[in-house]
């Protein structure tokens, strides 16, 4: 995922919709409009509580500022909920995978039909568990995986923080059982559990990636996936189960509304599953001052015109800020943006804009130590990549392939949707397991051919089909080496991705 992938999170379309849907509101002259809407709207109710508490209620300008903060803060949570709703709640969705606390295995890699999240990873077949940790912890067990096959388990909470890893890099390829606990569980590590992971939120996505070497290897991947197990802690310990958590009325995720004027209502719903942590107590109190928080009922339609204009502008400017930050993630190295945008709470250091930008770029990306994701939308001259105008080459010098402990890939996406593209040879990437079938140059270098049309049968081995329009490419380095030559530290490493060049 995220670069995994999960109806679809086409943020560019969302941006157009945001601009179009709010333009009428933003032209309103707010200075002559009343300050409040219906007396029972969430903003008015919050203002009344502030007055009772002796706290000045936020004015329109302050409301707009706080709403923008809340939008940026909540963006990755809404993106995570989109994936959860389509994968685990809406059984009518073509993206539906499995119910909560159930293992879902996919013995194939992602294709253009997978549209729930941007920049889908087409390298590794996935297994997933959407853990509901409200009633009790979940135990998942992994089988032994043969040496040489990359295997990883990524644990991500509703905030999109990566709070833990299991697998080749961190725990090795041996079998083991692990416990995932929600924020309210205070128990100790039970016997038979290798490690306890603690999620800050009551829902957590557990993502398993199993390396596939080639098409003939698929049965071996299926064997690994068949060995993944999940059960509640009570079942693991053979003890009576605790009371079942109450049923949830999940709000439908329809179109892009949850990312626009419904963002606050969506955030109201999600924050009930995310208890306040000490470092966010003041921030969450600010959100509550305008009616955003667990137990709140923020409804855009109940607001006054002035408030609607303020919230509309907050959404517009918040989205634009996230988009700009996404396009500045990392350092420009030969037209590739190389940086780190995924990690745990400590990694982000309170930078919610970076967290949102990472979710927009491709939610559920890995920590830098697990995988690096150089992104390219421009060639070596800085010109925008466009398959309708140019053909390109990407040449790795002799002995200068991406330095990894596991494997690397280069994946092609539509620059407008950030989704995989249909093409006549059903090839969405070129990766290191394909090296035996690729043709090297006389000097030992390797050139990939990036273009929308076939370069000819004799050259198709090195062809990565491109869209007939804007191009968005992602290079993935799984378990990057940490000694020179290395892409680490992000943006400062001794190995640098080569530039994409216009073919002559």
């Amino acid at each position: 995922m995220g670069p995994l992938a999960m109806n679809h999170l086409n943020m560019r379309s969302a941006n157009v919709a945001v601009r179009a849907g709010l333009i009428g509101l933003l032209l309103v002259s707010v200075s002559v409009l009343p300050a409040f809407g219906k007396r029972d709207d969430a903003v008015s109710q919050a203002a009344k509580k502030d007055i009772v508490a002796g706290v000045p209620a936020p004015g329109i300008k302050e409301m707009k500022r706080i709403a923008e903060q809340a939008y940026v803060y909540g963006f990755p949570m809404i993106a995570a909920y989109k994936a959860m709703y389509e994968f685990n709640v809406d059984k009518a969705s073509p993206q539906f995978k499995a119910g909560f606390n159930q293992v879902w295995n996919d013995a194939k890699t992602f294709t253009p039909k997978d549209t729930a999240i941007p920049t889908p990873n087409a390298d590794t077949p996935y297994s997933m568990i959407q853990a509901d940790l409200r009633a009790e912890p979940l135990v998942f067990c992994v089988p032994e995986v043969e040496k040489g096959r990359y295997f990883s388990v990524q644990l991500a909470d509703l905030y999109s923080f990566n709070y833990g890893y299991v697998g080749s890099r961190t725990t090795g390829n041996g079998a083991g059982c692990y416990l995932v606990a929600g924020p309210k569980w205070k128990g100790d590590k039970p016997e038979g559990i290798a490690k306890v992971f603690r999620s800050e939120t009551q829902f957590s996505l557990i993502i398993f990636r199993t390396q596939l070497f080639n098409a003939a290897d698929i049965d071996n991947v299926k064997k690994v996936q068949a060995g993944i197990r999940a059960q509640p802690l009570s079942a693991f310990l053979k003890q009576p189960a605790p009371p079942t958590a109450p049923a949830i009325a999940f709000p439908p995720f329809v179109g892009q509304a949850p990312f626009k004027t419904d963002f606050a209502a969506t955030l109201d719903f999600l924050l009930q599953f995310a208890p306040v942590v000490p470092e966010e107590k003041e921030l969450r109190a600010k959100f509550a001052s305008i009616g955003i928080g667990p137990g709140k009922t923020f409804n855009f339609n109940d607001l006054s015109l002035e408030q609607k204009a303020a919230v509309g502008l907050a959404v517009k400017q918040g989205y634009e800020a996230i988009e700009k930050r996404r396009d500045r993630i990392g350092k420009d190295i030969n037209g590739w943006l190389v940086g780190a945008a995924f990690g745990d709470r400590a990694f982000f250091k309170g930078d919610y804009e970076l967290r949102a930008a990472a979710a927009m770029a491709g939610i559920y990306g890995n920590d830098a130590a697990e995988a690096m994701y150089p992104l390219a939308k421009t060639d070596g001259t800085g010109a925008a990549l466009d398959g309708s105008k140019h053909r390109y080459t990407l040449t790795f010098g002799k002995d200068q392939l991406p330095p990894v402990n596991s494997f690397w890939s280069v994946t092609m996406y539509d620059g407008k949707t950030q989704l995989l593209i249909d093409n006549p040879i059903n090839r969405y990437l070129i990766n290191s397991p394909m090296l035996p079938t690729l043709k090297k140059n006389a000097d030992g270098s390797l050139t990939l051919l990036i273009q929308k049309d076939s370069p000819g049968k004799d050259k198709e081995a090195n062809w990565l089909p491109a869209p007939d329009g804007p191009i968005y490419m992602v290079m993935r380095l799984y378990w990057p080496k940490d000694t020179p030559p290395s892409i680490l530290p992000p943006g400062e490493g001794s190995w640098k991705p080569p530039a994409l060049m216009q073919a002559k």
Side-chain angles (χ1 to χ4, degrees):
M1 296 183 157
L4 154 121
M6 297 178 189
N7 290 250
H8 84 239
L9 188 55
N10 179 347
M11 291 306 176
R12 297 184 185 278
S13 296
N15 193 22
V16 173
V18 167
R19 294 172 193 272
L22 299 173
I23 191 67
L25 293 176
L26 302 183
L27 292 177
V28 172
S29 174
V30 299
S31 62
V32 299
L33 295 175
F36 296 101
K38 297 179 181 179
R39 290 188 200 174
D40 59 349
D41 71 82
V43 177
S44 299
Q45 291 298 320
K48 289 176 183 177
K49 289 183 180 179
D50 286 341
I51 292 170
V52 170
V55 178
I60 285 296
K61 287 185 179 180
E62 179 68 1
M63 175 190 171
K64 181 263 172 189
R65 190 183 70 81
I66 295 173
E68 185 175 340
Q69 274 188 306
Y71 184 81
V72 172
Y73 175 94
F75 185 92
M77 299 186 74
I78 296 170
Y81 180 60
K82 181 182 191 297
M84 177 197 289
Y85 188 79
E86 294 188 1
F87 281 9
N88 312 107
V89 177
D90 184 9
K91 293 183 179 180
S93 169
Q95 304 295 328
F96 184 81
K97 310 301 182 190
F100 292 97
N101 297 337
Q102 298 176 15
V103 179
W104 170 79
N105 293 314
D106 193 1
K108 64 176 181 60
T109 54
F110 284 117
T111 73
K113 294 180 180 179
D114 296 287
T115 61
I117 67 170
T119 57
N121 167 3
D123 280 307
T124 57
Y126 277 95
S127 301
M128 296 182 217
I129 303 169
Q130 184 67 256
D132 179 351
L133 306 171
R134 293 174 300 151
E136 62 174 315
L138 185 76
V139 174
F140 71 88
C141 300
V142 298
E144 183 172 356
V145 179
E146 72 268 30
K147 186 178 179 180
R149 184 184 300 277
Y150 175 78
F151 177 77
S152 74
V153 186
Q154 172 191 2
L155 292 91
D157 62 22
L158 268 180
Y159 295 122
S160 77
F161 290 140
N162 296 333
Y163 63 90
Y165 277 94
V166 169
S168 302
R169 177 183 66 89
T170 52
T171 60
N173 280 24
C177 293
Y178 301 85
L179 184 148
V180 183
K184 295 182 179 180
W185 191 75
K186 307 300 180 184
D188 298 322
K189 181 170 75 71
E191 186 177 346
I193 295 295
K195 186 174 181 178
V196 173
F197 295 97
R198 297 181 184 274
S199 170
E200 289 187 7
T201 61
Q202 293 175 337
F203 289 92
S204 173
L205 185 61
I206 306 172
I207 305 165
F208 304 76
R209 295 174 174 89
T210 306
Q211 184 177 6
L212 174 68
F213 295 116
N214 51 52
D217 184 46
I218 194 65
D219 284 342
N220 294 317
V221 170
K222 289 179 180 179
K223 289 178 183 177
V224 173
Q225 292 181 329
I228 299 171
R229 298 280 187 267
Q231 59 184 323
L233 177 59
S234 58
F236 179 81
L237 297 175
K238 296 180 172 56
Q239 296 177 351
T244 304
I248 298 172
F250 291 97
F253 201 105
V254 180
Q256 295 297 332
F259 285 109
K260 299 190 295 180
T261 52
D262 286 352
F263 91 89
T266 307
L267 198 52
D268 286 346
F269 168 74
L270 294 173
L271 289 176
Q272 68 179 303
F273 308 117
V276 181
V277 295
E279 54 265 54
E280 290 187 354
K281 188 175 181 180
E282 184 178 338
L283 183 64
R284 295 276 285 267
K286 277 187 182 179
F287 298 164
S289 74
I290 64 167
I292 296 177
K296 308 292 185 183
T297 54
F298 195 105
N299 188 326
F300 184 80
N301 294 325
D302 288 343
L303 303 181
S304 70
L305 287 177
E306 188 177 24
Q307 292 167 338
K308 286 179 179 177
V311 173
L313 186 60
V315 170
K316 177 179 180 292
Q317 294 182 347
Y319 184 90
E320 289 173 348
I322 298 169
E323 193 172 43
K324 287 178 183 178
R325 186 66 179 275
R326 178 201 62 188
D327 294 340
R328 291 188 290 107
I329 290 175
K331 182 178 180 181
D332 188 330
I333 300 177
N334 298 325
W336 295 86
L337 287 175
V338 182
F342 305 97
D344 59 11
R345 179 177 289 279
F347 166 82
F348 286 102
K349 298 181 176 67
D351 190 341
Y352 299 108
E353 187 178 84
L354 176 60
R355 187 177 74 177
M360 181 181 284
I363 195 169
Y364 302 128
N366 278 299
D367 292 8
E370 192 71 36
M372 281 291 293
Y373 304 100
L375 315 173
K377 295 196 294 183
T378 61
D379 63 19
T381 70
L385 297 172
D386 193 323
S388 67
K389 298 178 180 178
H390 304 287
R391 295 176 294 116
Y392 301 91
T393 60
L394 179 64
T395 300
F396 297 98
K398 182 181 179 181
D399 300 324
Q400 293 179 31
L401 293 172
V404 293
N405 291 301
S406 188
F407 70 103
W408 59 265
S409 68
V410 180
T411 306
M412 175 65 64
Y413 299 99
D414 185 306
K416 292 175 288 188
T417 66
Q418 292 179 222
L419 297 174
L420 299 168
I421 60 166
D422 284 308
N423 64 82
I425 60 173
N426 296 322
R427 179 182 293 164
Y428 315 115
L429 56 79
I430 290 178
N431 60 20
S432 51
M434 296 168 62
L435 283 172
T437 67
L438 303 179
K439 296 181 179 180
K440 289 190 174 182
N441 302 317
D443 63 358
S445 62
L446 174 67
T447 298
L448 308 185
L449 307 177
I450 315 296
Q451 56 192 71
K452 65 182 179 68
D453 298 316
S454 171
K457 288 292 183 182
D458 59 327
K459 297 180 179 179
E460 279 192 354
N462 292 27
W463 177 35
L464 180 56
D468 187 11
I471 289 172
Y472 183 76
M473 293 177 65
V474 177
M475 192 181 296
R476 290 177 169 89
L477 286 74
Y478 288 94
W479 192 0
K481 290 188 175 180
D482 55 8
T483 56
S486 172
I487 197 171
L488 301 174
E492 306 296 334
S494 54
W495 182 86
K496 304 182 188 308
L500 284 149
M501 307 298 293
Q502 291 184 19
K504 298 178 180 179

